[in-house]
Amino acid sequence: MQFLQTTLIRIFYAIVLLVAVLVLNFSLMHLAPGDVADTISQSMGGADQELLDRIRSDYGLDQPFLVQLGRYIAGVLQFDLGFSFFYNQPVTKLIMERLPATLLLVVTAQLLALFLGVFLGVISARKPNGLTSHFVTFMALFGYAAPVFWTGILLLIGFSLHLHWFPVAGMRDVTISGGFWVHFVDVLRHLILPMITLASIFLALYSRLARATMMEVLGSDYVRTAKSKGLSQRQVVYKHALKNSLSPVITLAGLQFSAVISGAVLVETVFSWPGLGTLAFQSIIARDTPTILGILFFSALVVIVGNLLTDIALRLVDPRLRGRS
Amino acid sequence: MSKMESEQEFEKARSPFAEAWGMFRRNHTAVGALGVLLLILLGAIFGPFLYGVDPFEMVWAPFSPPGEEGFMLGTDYLGRDLLAMIISGARVSLLIGLSAALVSILIGVTVGALAGFYRGWVEEVLMRVTEFFQVLPTLLFSMVLVALFGASLPMITFAIGVVSWTAVARITRSEFLRIRELEYVMAARASGGSNKTLMFTVILPNALPPIIVQSALMVGSAILFEAGLSFLGLTDPNVVSWGQIIGSNRQYILDAGYTVTFPGIAIFVTVLAISLVGDGLNDALNPKLRQR
């Protein structure tokens, strides 16, 4: 009951946050110099004042701010984020085409960083002065200080241009024909470098936290009990201690959604990965305001839903957190 | 050292700065990093006078490899001297890094201090606002700001500052929540200190150590952030910056990998030095944390 109540409160807050993002989005569009009428007249090679006025009244731009805001929010509720005059397509359609690629990159990179990070963290917690532990410390410094787009370009130079192990750009090779598995392997080959690049930022973060919590857990009473029962070191670490050191790492991972999306914009641009980040880059060059704001809204949506799911998952896994609101 | 001597040293009253420096000095990595950082700073200030090549001028054939024809780091795709560009870019990166960090610290400390001091509905509202800025994808939001309102240096600084203050606000708030319950604050309140006095002269100085450490890290993050924006082309076209050199040369990496390698090393070394100094500051200012 408590669980359900807390969850409902969380969902309510998430909706409030979403509406706030919409208001911000709309205000930005309103404040920015130039409006839709200017964009249209520009693409026609100029228009006189009369035509500008007509376009403005057709698009409802002469209405008061609050009326326009209401229409905008009502539109978003019907999955209408406006129209991109640059791509000549509805923004929602553009975003939906690009979303799967971004989700594939972001989810695989996060999973890689999480699993590898926890694994490295556990190994280095068992041997705090071992080779892995030093590697984790080194990676943490590198992952923080190296700009992610630079890491990506260096990997690209090394593994694609010189060694020819991986394709240089894109998500798939259009010349390839074959069954499902042929295409699967093709996408995987394109995915590996961008995935590793994006994961490199977060790997360090997770492994450091996993090492710290694991060392703390290994010193606790119930671990000593487990050891004194005669369980092997391996069993103690992986069956008892790991479970309890996971929840801080998952909490941290949940907080990183916004950073992951920011990283994805840069990584996608480096590898020409056909996702939302490349779309954002292209529409910013083209000054395509509806598309940029649509992407901003959509990524905020991904972050909010991601946070919500992390929170629910954490409270399902960890009974100590269940009453927390 | 005999017992007498060590006791004397213990009794000697030292200023907080001297004490912090004494702790900082023990961390050799941090001291080395501070040295590197000072070198970069001096290079940014005096470099353009010592190395008088115009970073915008085409001085030689494009893609001249490092070390040839007297250009230590070679030339870029327009035949500009890469070394001159990196020196000139240091100014922009450091300037934006410092001022954007300052903006975010000002916002963050104000929000955190008000929330932690007044509690109640003020705290509730401010923390919701903080939460709101945490769900906005930072890079995308500043891309939008710069794209809509123009890529001038002040706008870029603001766009970075306005998305990165949330961590400072959270730290400041929790410090204020902790300190406001301590006895010396109650004593100050009982002796008639106004809210303003309590906030700025009683609580804030005692809340500073973790804020200072976070601020050092913020400068590093702001430099990375600026590099990311200018890599994407969102930068003032009248200045050179490290990220922009990488962004504009990245089509030619097959022929001239060094044009992206060197500016990247500049960013990497600067941010690494800042983060190591931040670690040192953490040890120096929060000795209790280190003992854990």
Side-chain angles (χ1 to χ4, degrees), chain A residues 95-136:
Chain A
I95 291 179
M96 282 306 169
E97 278 170 12
R98 305 291 195 106
L99 189 63
T102 294
L103 285 180
L104 176 66
L105 174 64
V106 163
V107 171
T108 50
Q110 270 281 55
L111 287 179
L112 175 70
L114 258 178
F115 278 105
L116 200 59
V118 170
F119 181 68
L120 289 177
V122 170
I123 294 181
S124 48
R126 290 175 68 180
K127 283 182 191 148
N129 285 315
L131 203 62
T132 320
S133 192
H134 289 302
F135 176 71
V136 166

Side-chain angles (χ1 to χ4, degrees), chain A residues 144-146, chain B residues 220-221 223-224 266-276:
Chain A
Y144 173 73
Chain B
S221 313
I223 289 176
L224 282 176
I267 303 172
F268 178 68
V269 171
T270 311
V271 178
L272 186 66
I274 293 175
S275 116
L276 291 174

Side-chain angles (χ1 to χ4, degrees), chain A residues 49-62:
Chain A
Q49 192 57 43
E50 199 186 329
L51 187 59
L52 279 177
D53 287 342
R54 219 177 65 217
I55 299 172
R56 291 209 169 97
S57 82
D58 283 353
Y59 282 94
L61 296 174
D62 49 354

Side-chain angles (χ1 to χ4, degrees), chain A residues 21-233:
Chain A
V21 174
L22 282 177
V23 173
L24 173 84
N25 245 356
F26 185 75
S27 317
L28 283 175
M29 204 176 346
H30 211 80
L31 285 171
D35 60 1
V36 178
D38 291 325
T39 319
I40 296 175
S41 75
Q42 247 169 32
S43 64
M44 300 191 313
D48 58 5
Q49 192 57 43
E50 199 186 329
L51 187 59
L52 279 177
D53 287 342
R54 219 177 65 217
I55 299 172
R56 291 209 169 97
S57 82
D58 283 353
Y59 282 94
L61 296 174
D62 49 354
Q63 303 283 327
F65 178 82
L66 282 178
V67 174
Q68 289 191 46
L69 176 64
R71 281 191 187 162
Y72 177 70
I73 294 181
V76 172
L77 288 179
Q78 295 161 43
F79 298 104
D80 175 12
L81 286 166
F83 192 82
S84 160
F85 292 94
F86 178 71
Y87 291 98
N88 222 4
Q89 272 183 6
V91 172
T92 323
K93 187 164 171 272
L94 273 174
I95 291 179
M96 282 306 169
E97 278 170 12
R98 305 291 195 106
L99 189 63
T102 294
L103 285 180
L104 176 66
L105 174 64
V106 163
V107 171
T108 50
Q110 270 281 55
L111 287 179
L112 175 70
L114 258 178
F115 278 105
L116 200 59
V118 170
F119 181 68
L120 289 177
V122 170
I123 294 181
S124 48
R126 290 175 68 180
K127 283 182 191 148
N129 285 315
L131 203 62
T132 320
S133 192
H134 289 302
F135 176 71
V136 166
T137 313
F138 170 78
M139 270 296 298
L141 284 172
F142 186 86
Y144 173 73
V148 63
F149 54 91
W150 184 63
T151 317
I153 293 179
L154 291 187
L155 289 175
L156 195 66
I157 293 177
F159 291 101
S160 296
L161 295 178
H162 288 292
L163 293 171
H164 302 289
W165 286 2
F166 302 109
V168 176
M171 188 165 92
R172 53 205 324 173
D173 187 346
V174 281
T175 60
I176 280 184
S177 64
F180 171 77
W181 286 110
V182 177
H183 285 288
F184 180 82
V185 171
D186 180 41
V187 172
L188 194 67
R189 268 167 45 88
H190 283 85
L191 178 64
I192 287 177
L193 283 185
M195 179 177 72
I196 291 176
T197 310
L198 188 54
S200 74
I201 321 175
F202 304 99
L203 178 64
L205 216 58
Y206 300 154
S207 52
R208 233 159 73 141
L209 184 65
R211 177 171 64 184
T213 45
M214 194 66 185
M215 281 167 84
E216 203 176 304
V217 169
L218 284 180
S220 63
D221 288 342
Y222 75 92
V223 167
R224 199 180 315 131
T225 313
K227 273 187 199 154
S228 58
K229 279 199 306 190
L231 295 180
S232 71
Q233 172 86 357

Side-chain angles (χ1 to χ4, degrees), chain B residues 103-119 121-133 161-162 165-174 176-177 199-200 204 211:
Chain B
V103 170
S104 63
I105 292 157
L106 281 179
I107 304 178
V109 168
T110 312
V111 169
L114 290 173
F117 186 79
Y118 287 107
R119 313 277 325 253
W121 66 268
V122 177
E123 184 182 20
E124 184 71 16
V125 170
L126 288 177
M127 283 299 111
R128 291 290 161 212
V129 173
T130 311
E131 213 168 285
F132 172 68
F133 276 91
V162 83
W165 55 268
T166 51
V168 183
R170 286 186 173 273
I171 292 172
T172 311
R173 170 177 160 268
S174 66
F176 265 65
L177 285 178
M199 268 170 89
F200 292 110
L204 189 60
I211 299 177

Side-chain angles (χ1 to χ4, degrees), chain B residues 196-214:
Chain B
K196 217 170 106 189
T197 321
L198 287 177
M199 268 170 89
F200 292 110
T201 55
V202 182
I203 305 184
L204 189 60
N206 291 293
L208 277 182
I211 299 177
I212 291 174
V213 173
Q214 180 67 25

